[in-house]
Amino acid sequence: MYRYDSTDQQLIDQRVSQYRGQMERHLAGELSDDELRPLRLQNGLYIQRHGPMLRIAIPYGMLSSAQLRKLAEISRRYDRAVGHFTTRQNMQLNWPQFEETPEILAELASVEMHAVQTSGNCIRNITSDHFAGVAPDELVDPRPYCELLRQWSTFHPEFAFLPRKFKIAVNAAAQDRAVIRAHDIGLEVVSDERGEIGFKVLVGGGLGRTPILGKVVREFLPRRHILSYLEAILRLYNRYGRRDNMYKARIKILVQALGSEEFARQVEAEWAHLRDGETTVTDAEFERIAGHFEPPAWETLPAEDPAHNARLTADKAFANWVKRCVHPHKTPGYAAVTLSLKAPGVAPGDISDTQMIAVADLADRFSFGELRVSHEQNLILSDVKLGDLHELWQLARGQRLATANIGLLTDMICCPGGDLCALANARSLPIAEAVNDKFDDLDYLYDIGDISLNISGCMNSCGHHHVANIGILGVDKNDEEWYQITVGGQQGNSAIIGKVIGPSFYAQEVPEVIEALIAVYLEQRTASERFIDTWQRVGIEPFKARAYAGRDRRRTAKVAGKESQAKEIVNA
């Protein structure tokens, strides 16, 4: 993975010193709240519903075991001994003390980490495939390109105050595991007929209040031009993006207003002034960065391990875990392993300090001291020998990190929602817990099979509910929490925005509604169909009819319950 050079370290150390001075001036009354706000936001510090929240950058999801141990130490010393991984492959600390955040940033800098540009109207953390570098279906390792973009975008003075936040994702595999079509800029690494590496460029994707999938503005961009072309896009956005209305400020609105063809034409016109200039990336520079991502010392191993195969036959629980949590690796004898952060009773994406230490130990022991964060809020050990899988499973199970539910209904993406976030209209975590309780039978989950269920507490869609097979969105109706259901979304190469099935439901209804949707699938599916396949074949009506079939009964029960509570209060 990338290691800081002296320039990297100097820049981050200077930022820590600068931020410390800004915080001292604020605490002394020399900087007002409004004056501090843009400064703290570009260092990842929010003020949430109950207090500060610090978002820590994890570039393209890569972590070393030493960095994870530092995060554990920080969470224990400055927070409540827990961290939360996000869909941007970052970590959030939800309970730091405001005045202690400079110390946290200094601790992060000691292990080549920071919180720069994890908030604010700037280019946010670059994300990518969590199997990058080991995926059998990838054209090349995308991480060097991600690192190039990280270095270019961090502290870029021209793009520090954009009309709105800006997100970039990179994918180099046959299957899009980075949701590039739902980003402001999505980059797909491709090759032309001569074998030259370049990028297919998509612009104008994004979820939130107006979910839109990105449009292709260039089928092939030679890799040497990637920085100048992105600068052309961002200059166009910086000039014409809406600054008068935050709800229309994202680049997706500009692309829709101009049309993708006109937008692409204007980008090309702007690029004409930048092409072949000083931002052209030489082969030597690519090679310099790629040198940080040399493969680890993989052993020469057979593709099959007889002892591993025997354990699969003898131990059903282990076999189930392998089926769901172990993934193909491009090197014979190795596998990538997902450690599930979706155990029952735990907020999706949460990890304790004890678990962080345990994962760091597992990474050192089984995966060359490296790990990855997925946008689905799980952790990945990328280089595990087949012969080590059983021992790894036993150790992970002891830390509640081996729930065999990856890709199943309870492998939910879920934002913190109204329990923590100041923007949320409703709570997300109780809904996740209720769904987990409703579907607590792994055998039943295995029968349902591959399905995604994502939950967002507000229209910002931090839980990616729009691109889930079943999406849940918290909404506020007359100061009550209600939940809108979308069905039919999916991520990947054929990304689709889900459809709202109808009026929203109150919280207690949601698990029953999910159960009703699943029942339609189980009744209607053919032998080989996933949930999304059945939905696309039979359409919305059977699902909608079943979801609302018991609504009157449920509403009557809710009203009766409220009347009963009111009588008890009066009688008391």
Side-chain angles (χ1 to χ4, degrees):
M1 63 183 290
Y2 183 76
R3 303 292 182 185
Y4 281 10
D5 61 20
S6 59
T7 302
D8 294 314
Q9 191 65 53
Q10 181 182 11
L11 286 170
I12 296 304
D13 289 342
Q14 287 176 344
R15 173 52 75 91
V16 171
S17 177
Q18 180 189 58
Y19 176 73
R20 190 189 300 277
Q22 292 163 349
M23 185 64 74
E24 288 172 353
R25 290 164 59 202
H26 172 70
L27 295 175
E30 298 170 10
L31 274 180
S32 68
D33 288 345
D34 288 342
E35 289 170 325
L36 181 68
R37 184 175 184 272
L39 304 175
R40 64 170 169 78
L41 284 176
Q42 288 221 345
N43 289 286
L45 182 59
Y46 288 77
I47 303 299
Q48 294 287 68
R49 189 178 296 272
H50 303 295
M53 180 272 282
L54 184 67
R55 183 177 294 146
I56 299 166
I58 303 176
Y60 39 95
M62 287 292 299
L63 273 174
S64 70
S65 57
Q67 289 171 331
L68 188 58
R69 287 192 182 90
K70 176 58 71 174
L71 292 175
E73 179 186 336
I74 288 171
S75 73
R76 187 185 311 119
R77 181 180 299 175
Y78 298 102
D79 203 88
R80 297 187 177 179
V82 65
H84 174 75
F85 287 113
T86 75
T87 52
R88 199 108 214 107
Q89 298 178 306
N90 290 323
M91 175 178 275
Q92 291 180 179
L93 299 178
N94 288 306
W95 302 98
Q97 295 298 309
F98 188 76
E99 63 277 6
E100 291 183 337
T101 51
E103 300 304 322
I104 297 175
L105 297 189
E107 295 268 8
L108 291 171
S110 72
V111 290
E112 303 179 7
M113 297 186 75
H114 60 76
V116 172
Q117 294 177 207
T118 57
S119 181
N121 295 333
C122 55
I123 300 173
R124 300 287 185 88
N125 188 45
I126 310 296
T127 59
S128 190
D129 180 5
H130 45 274
F131 297 131
V134 303
D137 66 333
E138 70 181 9
L139 178 65
V140 294
D141 185 347
R143 293 174 298 170
Y145 303 113
C146 294
E147 178 57 28
L148 175 70
L149 295 179
R150 184 195 72 81
Q151 294 188 23
W152 162 77
S153 62
T154 304
F155 300 125
H156 197 305
E158 188 175 352
F159 307 134
F161 296 97
L162 295 167
R164 198 71 173 87
K165 60 186 176 181
F166 204 91
K167 300 178 180 180
I168 301 173
V170 184
N171 179 62
Q175 293 299 316
D176 173 18
R177 289 179 286 268
V179 207
I180 62 172
R181 289 157 182 81
H183 282 73
D184 297 290
I185 292 178
L187 298 173
E188 181 179 347
V189 182
V190 294
S191 62
D192 66 7
E193 63 279 359
R194 298 170 299 173
E196 181 182 357
I197 296 295
F199 300 91
K200 179 186 288 188
V201 183
L202 298 91
V203 181
L207 303 178
R209 188 175 298 271
T210 309
I212 297 173
L213 297 178
K215 308 296 191 298
V216 177
V217 298
R218 215 171 204 282
E219 288 288 348
F220 184 80
L221 176 73
R223 70 175 189 174
R224 65 185 179 278
H225 294 310
I226 184 60
L227 298 187
S228 60
Y229 195 80
L230 293 195
E231 287 204 351
I233 293 171
L234 279 150
R235 284 187 175 184
L236 193 67
Y237 172 52
N238 218 2
R239 187 182 310 146
Y240 297 118
R242 295 282 298 269
R243 295 180 186 270
D244 61 324
N245 186 332
M246 68 175 293
Y247 300 115
K248 297 182 179 181
R250 299 294 290 271
I251 196 173
K252 62 186 177 183
I253 303 300
L254 178 61
V255 174
Q256 289 292 107
L258 293 175
S260 58
E261 289 186 6
E262 174 59 18
F263 180 85
R265 187 194 69 77
Q266 293 195 28
V267 169
E268 293 287 330
E270 179 66 29
W271 186 42
H273 304 295
L274 303 170
R275 182 173 180 167
D276 298 321
E278 60 185 11
T279 54
T280 302
V281 188
T282 65
D283 288 342
E285 179 62 8
F286 277 119
E287 290 167 7
R288 181 190 72 82
I289 294 176
H292 290 275
F293 300 94
E294 288 295 320
W298 293 320
E299 297 178 22
T300 301
L301 299 171
E304 295 284 331
D305 185 288
H308 168 66
N309 293 338
R311 293 186 187 102
L312 289 175
T313 303
D315 193 330
K316 180 182 177 182
F318 174 61
N320 286 338
W321 177 77
V322 169
K323 180 179 179 179
R324 280 290 153 190
C325 300
V326 177
H327 316 278
H329 195 289
K330 68 181 183 181
T331 304
Y334 285 86
V337 174
T338 298
L339 300 176
S340 174
L341 300 185
K342 313 292 176 61
V346 178
D350 275 11
I351 184 169
S352 71
D353 62 326
T354 303
Q355 288 176 315
M356 287 186 237
I357 296 296
V359 173
D361 291 343
L362 293 176
D364 281 339
R365 186 168 176 178
F366 298 109
S367 192
F368 301 98
E370 292 185 359
L371 60 142
R372 289 97 178 283
V373 183
S374 72
H375 81 268
E376 288 100 343
Q377 300 174 295
N378 293 308
L379 295 178
I380 289 86
L381 300 179
S382 57
D383 302 285
V384 182
K385 295 179 186 177
L386 295 179
D388 289 338
L389 286 172
H390 191 265
E391 184 180 6
L392 169 60
W393 169 65
Q394 291 177 314
L395 294 170
R397 188 166 57 166
Q399 294 292 333
R400 300 198 71 205
L401 295 167
T403 304
N405 64 346
I406 300 304
L408 300 178
L409 188 70
T410 57
D411 182 21
M412 292 174 276
I413 296 176
C414 184
C415 73
D419 287 304
L420 294 170
C421 180
L423 300 176
N425 297 314
R427 291 174 295 171
S428 303
L429 301 181
I431 300 301
E433 184 175 7
V435 172
N436 244 316
D437 290 344
K438 189 76 172 179
F439 297 91
D440 63 349
D441 184 342
L442 271 177
D443 287 334
Y444 183 47
L445 291 176
Y446 295 147
D447 183 39
I448 297 170
D450 291 335
I451 184 171
S452 59
L453 185 150
N454 299 347
I455 308 173
S456 297
C458 77
M459 286 300 296
N460 285 315
S461 191
C462 292
H464 290 189
H465 67 278
H466 291 296
V467 288
N469 300 160
I470 300 175
I472 303 173
L473 168 66
V475 295
D476 177 24
K477 291 173 62 175
N478 301 318
D479 294 324
E480 284 191 319
E481 295 178 332
W482 291 73
Y483 296 87
Q484 186 183 84
I485 306 295
T486 60
V487 182
Q490 68 175 354
Q491 56 188 42
N493 296 14
S494 302
I496 300 172
I497 302 296
K499 295 180 180 179
V500 177
I501 64 171
S504 55
F505 301 89
Y506 63 84
Q508 292 87 338
E509 291 181 284
V510 172
E512 290 186 39
V513 173
I514 303 305
E515 186 176 44
L517 297 173
I518 296 299
V520 173
Y521 160 62
L522 294 178
E523 293 166 7
Q524 299 268 4
R525 69 181 175 181
T526 64
S528 61
E529 282 185 333
R530 304 164 300 163
F531 179 93
I532 189 64
D533 301 323
T534 301
W535 161 269
Q536 291 173 348
R537 178 172 57 81
V538 306
I540 191 174
E541 290 306 324
F543 293 91
K544 183 176 181 178
R546 187 70 63 87
Y548 290 97
R551 191 178 188 189
D552 291 341
R553 171 184 56 79
R554 294 191 297 263
R555 297 291 163 85
T556 301
K558 183 184 181 187
V559 171
K562 284 189 172 182
E563 291 177 348
S564 176
Q565 290 176 354
K567 288 179 181 178
E568 289 181 9
I569 293 172
V570 171
N571 292 334

